[in-house]
Amino acid sequence: MTDSPLISRRTLMQAAAIAAPLALTPDMLSAAGKPALRDAMILDPAIRYFNAANIAPTFRSVVDIHERETRAFQADPSVERRALYPKAADALRERLAKRLHVTAQEIALVRNSSEANTVAVRGLALKAGDRIILTDHNHPSTWDSWKLRAQREGLDLHVVPVPVGAKSAQLLFDGIAAAVTPNTKAIFLSHMSNISGILYPVAQIAQLARSKNIWFHADGAQTFGWLGLDLAALGVDSYSGSTHKWLMGPLEGGMLYVRRERQAELQPIMMSHGYWLTDEANLSTAQKYEILGQRDDPRLMAFAATLDVLDGVGQAAIEQAARQRAASMRQALSAVPGAKPFGSGVEAVTGPVITVAFPGRDVAALRAKLWQAKIATAASKIGGVPAIRFSPHVYNSDDDVAAVIEALRMG
């Protein structure tokens, strides 16, 4: 990782051990029975976990590596030992860039999608009257940030309602396209809605935005990790991702992608000391968006360890398994008497978030009963209708789903 004579051989050997990939295979994602990948997690075996859209459990190896590196850091927080971390950050940017089909100069390492989204919101130069297009399913990190900025600067926020029952990508695209005016300067939306699981046709919207010189940012908090992403092909100007959701990694890890050709138009929101900066010239790359002061440096190792696990399985296998698990669970939930899942379920516009209403029933009490059975879900609401959100992932089994269905029928 570095050939500095100030770093001991023992430290280098420890770092090499930390970076060693795990030997995993796609069959760990078997949909039948208990996925073997579940055994690699630290999650309490008694819990049936359906809340990846909020926080997903991580792997035992990731926790072990983070704890080990944190202890090593605290045992020797010298500048000399910390020379490991800029190299680790460089390697992680390269690795993410390859995974996302972009360049390392377009990747910033931040703390989560909310931070990445806020950089994109605050960094654009705008004037009173400029239109910003959002949807009513935007995450608060874009929705609330834009509201604050609009109030201060007189911006025109135009909110497009998400057609939750959409059966085609064209319908979703048309809603965004109809909102574009000559004054439109930016489009910000969630690639997948954390409320309904709706997947927006990002590539089609990006093509429209580029033709009109409109900045297009996609919040990838709900896609980064389970969905195979080619950001260059999607054509977005910026994109965010978190480690603690579908990537199944540590807390306070994330990334911001900013297209190289447009980085001069997006200013950083903070400039502190660049602890991971290896060359001042990198301030002309996406690294300028991560100059945020002292960080939890050992988390770099935990982030990399998460990618070791996922790379051992393969992105295509993860996406296929996530889609299959969600589709089968949606079908099972639809058969529960009185259950009303939102959305069409059409694969082209649907991700692994299933939000279900139960008309005439006390939804809060029903969700509490699920938790009594150690089934973890999230409270939700669409159009003022109380609902339960299920976000299954590759670690969920047929038995997990069956337990949900039984609890709902008994409740």
Side-chain angles (χ1 to χ4, degrees), residues 92-108 229-239 255-261 263 286:
L92 186 54
R93 288 189 211 93
E94 290 283 354
R95 192 170 182 181
L96 285 171
K98 183 176 180 180
R99 185 183 189 87
L100 300 171
H101 302 277
V102 294
T103 68
Q105 291 72 37
E106 296 171 304
I107 298 292
L229 294 170
D230 184 335
L231 297 185
L234 287 179
V236 293
D237 295 305
S238 50
Y239 198 95
M255 72 90 197
L256 170 65
Y257 160 80
V258 182
R259 188 157 61 92
R260 191 76 167 109
E261 295 85 346
Q263 288 177 9

Side-chain angles (χ1 to χ4, degrees), residues 29-152:
L29 301 178
S30 172
K34 181 181 179 183
L37 193 61
R38 175 67 172 75
D39 290 332
M41 295 183 146
I42 202 169
L43 181 66
D44 185 339
I47 295 177
R48 302 182 189 274
Y49 197 79
F50 289 95
N51 200 16
N54 178 215
I55 295 175
T58 193
F59 304 99
R60 190 171 292 103
S61 60
V62 173
V63 174
D64 290 346
I65 286 167
H66 191 211
E67 289 182 351
R68 186 191 320 167
E69 182 57 29
T70 298
R71 288 181 178 277
F73 175 93
Q74 296 297 343
D76 179 9
S78 65
V79 172
E80 287 77 12
R81 188 188 187 282
R82 283 188 282 129
L84 281 170
Y85 298 122
K87 299 296 185 183
D90 285 347
L92 186 54
R93 288 189 211 93
E94 290 283 354
R95 192 170 182 181
L96 285 171
K98 183 176 180 180
R99 185 183 189 87
L100 300 171
H101 302 277
V102 294
T103 68
Q105 291 72 37
E106 296 171 304
I107 298 292
L109 300 173
V110 294
R111 286 173 290 195
N112 47 47
S113 293
S114 291
E115 186 168 76
N117 294 337
T118 302
V119 171
V121 170
R122 301 293 299 169
L124 292 174
L126 299 168
K127 65 182 185 303
D130 285 345
R131 169 168 283 203
I132 312 300
I133 296 174
L134 311 170
T135 78
D136 59 354
H137 284 198
N138 273 49
H139 189 268
S141 59
T142 55
W143 173 231
D144 289 344
S145 295
W146 274 119
K147 279 201 301 184
L148 178 62
R149 188 170 181 192
Q151 290 167 2
R152 290 180 174 178

Side-chain angles (χ1 to χ4, degrees), residues 53-334:
N54 178 215
I55 295 175
T58 193
F59 304 99
R60 190 171 292 103
S61 60
V62 173
V63 174
D64 290 346
I65 286 167
H66 191 211
E67 289 182 351
R68 186 191 320 167
E69 182 57 29
T70 298
R71 288 181 178 277
F73 175 93
Q74 296 297 343
D76 179 9
S78 65
V79 172
E80 287 77 12
R81 188 188 187 282
R82 283 188 282 129
L84 281 170
Y85 298 122
K87 299 296 185 183
D90 285 347
L92 186 54
R93 288 189 211 93
E94 290 283 354
R95 192 170 182 181
L96 285 171
K98 183 176 180 180
R99 185 183 189 87
L100 300 171
H101 302 277
V102 294
T103 68
Q105 291 72 37
E106 296 171 304
I107 298 292
L109 300 173
V110 294
R111 286 173 290 195
N112 47 47
S113 293
S114 291
E115 186 168 76
N117 294 337
T118 302
V119 171
V121 170
R122 301 293 299 169
L124 292 174
L126 299 168
K127 65 182 185 303
D130 285 345
R131 169 168 283 203
I132 312 300
I133 296 174
L134 311 170
T135 78
D136 59 354
H137 284 198
N138 273 49
H139 189 268
S141 59
T142 55
W143 173 231
D144 289 344
S145 295
W146 274 119
K147 279 201 301 184
L148 178 62
R149 188 170 181 192
Q151 290 167 2
R152 290 180 174 178
E153 301 177 31
L155 304 177
D156 170 26
L157 293 190
H158 184 86
V159 181
V160 177
V162 174
V164 175
K167 296 182 179 180
S168 72
Q170 188 64 44
L171 179 63
L172 296 169
F173 171 80
D174 289 344
I176 299 298
V180 173
T181 67
N183 289 333
T184 302
K185 302 302 179 185
I187 299 171
F188 275 61
L189 54 79
S190 296
H191 191 168
M192 180 175 85
S193 167
N194 68 302
I195 299 172
S196 63
I198 287 284
L199 272 170
Y200 265 85
V202 166
Q204 190 177 3
I205 296 169
Q207 187 175 20
L208 169 67
R210 192 172 295 194
S211 71
K212 297 181 179 296
N213 197 33
I214 297 170
W215 188 283
F216 180 35
H217 174 82
D219 176 357
Q222 299 299 333
T223 47
F224 182 64
W226 76 265
L227 182 65
L229 294 170
D230 184 335
L231 297 185
L234 287 179
V236 293
D237 295 305
S238 50
Y239 198 95
S240 64
S242 291
T243 58
H244 66 274
K245 296 181 185 290
W246 301 92
L247 195 78
M248 299 171 284
L251 292 168
E252 291 194 24
M255 72 90 197
L256 170 65
Y257 160 80
V258 182
R259 188 157 61 92
R260 191 76 167 109
E261 295 85 346
R262 303 205 73 176
Q263 288 177 9
E265 301 171 57
L266 186 70
Q267 295 302 306
I269 60 172
M270 177 177 173
M271 291 298 288
S272 183
H273 187 72
Y275 287 97
W276 300 340
L277 195 66
T278 52
D279 189 327
E280 291 291 327
N282 288 329
L283 286 174
S284 67
T285 73
Q287 285 188 41
K288 66 184 177 182
Y289 306 117
E290 65 181 40
I291 309 300
L292 303 167
Q294 186 62 59
R295 309 282 289 278
D296 178 10
D297 295 334
R299 201 164 310 277
L300 293 168
M301 308 302 192
F303 196 159
T306 306
L307 297 181
D308 288 340
V309 176
L310 303 186
D311 288 349
V313 177
Q315 183 60 60
I318 291 170
E319 178 177 338
Q320 181 180 13
R323 286 187 180 277
Q324 288 177 347
R325 169 54 63 213
S328 64
M329 187 172 189
R330 175 179 284 274
Q331 184 176 18
L333 286 166
S334 298

